[in-house]
Amino acid sequence: MEESRLVRGGLRVATAVVLLFVYLPLVVIVLYAFNESRVQSWPIVNYSLQWFARAAADGTVRQAFVNSILAASGATAIALVLGSMAAFAVQRFAFFGRETVTFLVVLPIALPGVVTGVALSTTFSTLGIDFGLLTIIVGHATFCVVIAYNNVLARLRRTSRSLEEASMDLGADTWQTFRHVFLPSLRTALISGGLLAFALSFDEVIVTNFTAGPGIDTVPLWVLSAIQRPNALPVVNVVATVLIALSVIPVYFAQRIGGGTAGLTR
Amino acid sequence: MTTLGPDRPPSPMRRLAVFLHRHPRLQLRLLLAAPLAWLVLAYFGSLAVLFANAFWRLDSFTGKVLVEPTLANFATLFGTEVYRTLALRTLLMALAVTIACAILAFPVAYYMARIASPRARGVLVVALLMPLWASYLVKVYAWRTMLLGNGVINWLLQPLGLHGPGTGELAMWLVFTYLWLPYMVLPIYVGLERIPGSLLEASADLGARAGFTFRRVVLPLVLPAVVAGSIFTFSLTLGDYITPQLVSNTKLIGNAIYDTLGVPNRPLAAAIATVPVIIIVLYLLAARRTGAFESL
């Protein structure tokens, strides 16, 4: 089937329009970060760098970044260990209830975020657990596990067992095979899965808003409260610009390592 | 390597390795124990506690939750018109967003999969992935700024004699469509790429015109991918309460859950939370029939 020139042209224009739609808000917010005025109106009259200095000097912003990094590291660590174990079990063993395990692992991303949030919040308060960084990590880990699981599973499907069998035949035991053959073949999947889980946790707000303790801000929580204070908006623009720049990192690595769309499911 | 020689006495670690190798079932159990314990305790346990709460009673004097089975929360949920309106509006919004995403995503995915050169294809995949990982809140905030009276949208539309969508359902729909679009483009792209060219050639050889081949060969094959994408767009819209709050003055069912929990009325919030769960479960059951789960 050969598409006609009209169809090709039409599709090219449609793609260009959609890309414009996708990037317009990102460009606008980066431009606003350089806006000299405190008031957000378009078009921008004068440009300035003053808000970058203000943002860098803001202690609450720095603390929010520290909290976000801690939460994302914790959630990523849990996700990598549990996700890899589940992926390995599902890929390398045939057992009764395997379909159920697959379904259960993926369910946290299929259920609406507000439900996960209210469920965790309700449970923590029913059990009398104090809200804080730990509750944030638990909340993030529930859906980060899926990311690690998907990445490791995709890799396991592509790598052949014969490498491990060859290693065993040559006299290596289970541990040596694990360390010298199995782990290296999984390394890039673990890195890209970990990065995507980290990025997802770093960005999460719908569940976090339910599970964070009072007075503990992650970056998205800081942005959420700052948005509602007109005075803080110029600093929000700077933080937003930094976040847009940072989002290149997971995409770059996912693309270089995993290739294609491994990072899609969240 | 000396460590591999058989004449060394086996270390305890090695003996454990041999033991595990001979008992694959035990290996499996050890592997599954931790992830399943985590999922069951942290996730399904929480869901169970949530739904238990929906049947408990709130003491209106002390504000404490009493473990006394009651259906009063569900009576409030079904008896109050606000909740019916919110549920219906949320469902319609999720459908409208899903349809808009599919319409916008299809031409892009088709262009990427079938027309663009391999190099342009790689660039386009990255170009669409990048905004997916750009902060959700930054994107919502950007739209909030653009939709203001003196924002970019009105500035762009003014010469045409038009006004922006304001702060109603239209604005919410626009922002949701923007936010979830990449979740629709990528599955459709993968689905289209998987269709073998030989199938399309066979259709053409048998005398089908391009439009006919598209309707009878391409569309049925790519439908599961569209449904897979729609699971994301649908579920993400159902579960969002922050976008409605930031870009419009209209609420969705998620706002009712969040606000009720803040009252605080945990049992009623839990009862309201059953609404999106029931909607998404019905949607997933319908989606499964199209084979969409294989395209996730």
Side-chain angles (χ1 to χ4, degrees):
Chain A
M1 182 178 79
E2 197 58 38
E3 289 83 4
S4 69
R5 269 176 76 182
L6 189 71
V7 171
R8 287 164 166 267
L11 286 171
R12 184 168 294 136
V13 171
T15 305
V17 169
V18 167
L19 274 179
L20 204 70
F21 173 60
V22 164
Y23 278 92
L24 175 73
L26 302 180
V27 171
V28 167
I29 222 63
V30 171
L31 288 177
Y32 267 132
F34 297 93
N35 186 6
E36 189 183 44
S37 162
R38 194 177 273 280
V39 183
Q40 321 270 307
S41 71
W42 193 267
I44 295 168
V45 186
N46 285 315
Y47 290 86
S48 131
L49 283 172
Q50 60 166 323
W51 302 113
F52 281 85
R54 291 280 187 96
D58 190 323
T60 60
V61 174
R62 279 205 304 265
Q63 187 56 48
F65 268 92
V66 170
N67 288 340
S68 273
I69 289 169
L70 288 176
S73 308
T76 304
I78 297 175
L80 281 180
V81 173
L82 298 181
S84 315
M85 287 169 86
F88 190 76
V90 163
Q91 171 63 18
R92 289 295 159 84
F93 294 90
F95 56 92
F96 179 74
R98 192 168 77 163
E99 294 304 308
T100 316
V101 171
T102 319
F103 182 72
L104 290 184
V105 174
V106 183
L107 196 64
I109 52 160
L111 277 190
V114 68
V115 175
T116 309
V118 75
L120 289 168
S121 164
T122 305
T123 304
F124 295 146
S125 35
T126 303
L127 299 178
I129 296 171
D130 286 333
F131 288 79
L133 196 60
L134 206 64
T135 50
I136 296 179
I137 292 178
V138 170
H140 288 185
T142 53
F143 45 81
C144 286
V145 168
V146 188
I147 307 288
Y149 169 84
N150 277 347
N151 272 272
V152 174
L153 191 67
R155 174 61 49 85
L156 286 174
R157 281 197 181 130
R158 273 184 283 146
T159 50
S160 142
R161 278 202 84 157
S162 53
L163 273 180
E164 288 152 50
E165 280 160 7
S167 159
M168 302 280 228
D169 287 347
L170 290 169
D173 65 27
T174 308
W175 306 116
Q176 287 165 327
T177 307
F178 180 79
R179 239 178 64 90
H180 298 293
V181 179
F182 184 66
L183 218 49
S185 76
L186 274 189
R187 202 191 55 186
T188 51
L190 290 173
I191 295 175
S192 65
L195 260 164
L196 294 174
F198 192 95
L200 185 60
S201 162
F202 201 84
D203 185 35
E204 218 293 328
V205 63
I206 288 178
V207 175
T208 319
N209 203 20
F210 277 103
T211 56
I216 189 158
D217 267 353
T218 61
V219 174
L221 286 179
W222 181 88
V223 172
L224 183 61
S225 71
I227 286 176
Q228 338 230 355
R229 287 178 276 129
N231 254 347
L233 292 184
V235 178
V236 174
N237 294 335
V238 173
V239 173
T241 302
V242 171
L243 290 176
I244 291 171
L246 287 178
S247 70
V248 175
I249 299 173
V251 179
Y252 174 78
F253 277 98
Q255 200 59 28
R256 259 198 64 166
I257 298 168
T261 53
L264 173 65
T265 44
R266 71 189 272 175
Chain B
M1 280 200 265
T2 51
T3 49
L4 300 187
D7 28 7
R8 267 174 87 249
S11 69
M13 280 300 264
R14 185 166 174 122
R15 255 182 287 157
L16 181 63
V18 170
F19 180 76
L20 281 177
H21 188 70
R22 287 191 185 140
H23 297 81
R25 287 282 119 184
L26 183 69
Q27 254 186 73
L28 173 66
R29 276 191 206 127
L30 288 175
L31 275 173
L32 276 178
L36 283 187
W38 165 266
L39 269 177
V40 168
L41 284 180
Y43 194 72
F44 297 102
S46 302
L47 287 177
V49 172
L50 176 70
F51 293 114
N53 264 273
F55 294 96
W56 292 346
R57 199 168 71 80
L58 185 80
D59 189 318
S60 47
F61 282 111
T62 60
K64 285 228 169 83
V65 179
L66 305 175
V67 185
E68 292 171 12
T70 171
L71 286 173
N73 302 311
F74 289 98
T76 313
L77 176 63
F78 292 116
T80 317
E81 200 183 339
V82 174
Y83 297 127
R84 280 201 299 272
T85 312
L86 284 176
L88 188 65
R89 183 189 292 147
T90 309
L91 181 65
L92 292 178
M93 181 62 72
L95 286 174
V97 169
T98 299
I99 292 168
C101 283
I103 290 174
L104 285 180
F106 208 93
V108 179
Y110 198 89
Y111 182 78
M112 277 161 51
R114 301 256 321 139
I115 294 174
S117 67
R119 245 194 86 176
R121 184 179 305 166
V123 172
L124 278 170
V125 169
V126 174
L128 282 160
L129 262 178
M130 216 284 282
L132 182 64
W133 290 101
S135 168
Y136 155 86
L137 211 47
V138 166
K139 288 180 276 188
V140 180
Y141 166 63
W143 275 102
R144 181 181 155 97
T145 318
M146 294 202 311
L147 289 168
L148 286 179
N150 52 2
V152 178
I153 299 294
N154 274 331
W155 180 79
L156 282 172
L157 292 177
Q158 218 161 26
L160 311 169
L162 295 169
H163 280 288
T167 55
E169 280 149 349
L170 198 62
M172 200 198 293
W173 172 75
L174 178 71
V175 177
F176 273 139
T177 303
Y178 174 85
L179 286 171
W180 315 141
L181 182 63
Y183 292 94
M184 189 62 106
V185 174
L186 291 168
I188 298 182
Y189 163 69
V190 173
L192 282 170
E193 219 191 11
R194 272 188 203 149
I195 300 176
S198 56
L199 271 184
L200 308 182
E201 279 162 26
S203 174
D205 288 349
L206 292 168
R209 288 170 185 277
F212 189 81
T213 303
F214 180 77
R215 278 198 311 277
R216 299 297 294 271
V217 181
V218 177
L219 268 188
L221 284 174
V222 84
L223 186 72
V226 178
V227 177
S230 81
I231 292 174
F232 290 110
T233 57
F234 200 82
S235 169
L236 288 166
T237 311
L238 278 184
D240 202 333
Y241 59 93
I242 287 179
T243 301
Q245 181 197 327
L246 289 179
V247 301
S248 79
N249 45 27
T250 331
K251 291 186 171 188
L252 293 186
I253 198 83
N255 299 91
I257 298 171
Y258 185 76
D259 296 346
T260 310
L261 191 73
V263 166
N265 189 342
R266 218 160 69 202
L268 184 58
I272 306 171
T274 56
V275 174
V277 173
I278 290 168
I279 296 177
I280 196 71
V281 166
L282 292 177
Y283 195 82
L284 287 176
L285 287 176
R288 198 167 71 168
R289 304 184 64 161
T290 65
F293 285 8
E294 282 75 52
S295 313
L296 270 181

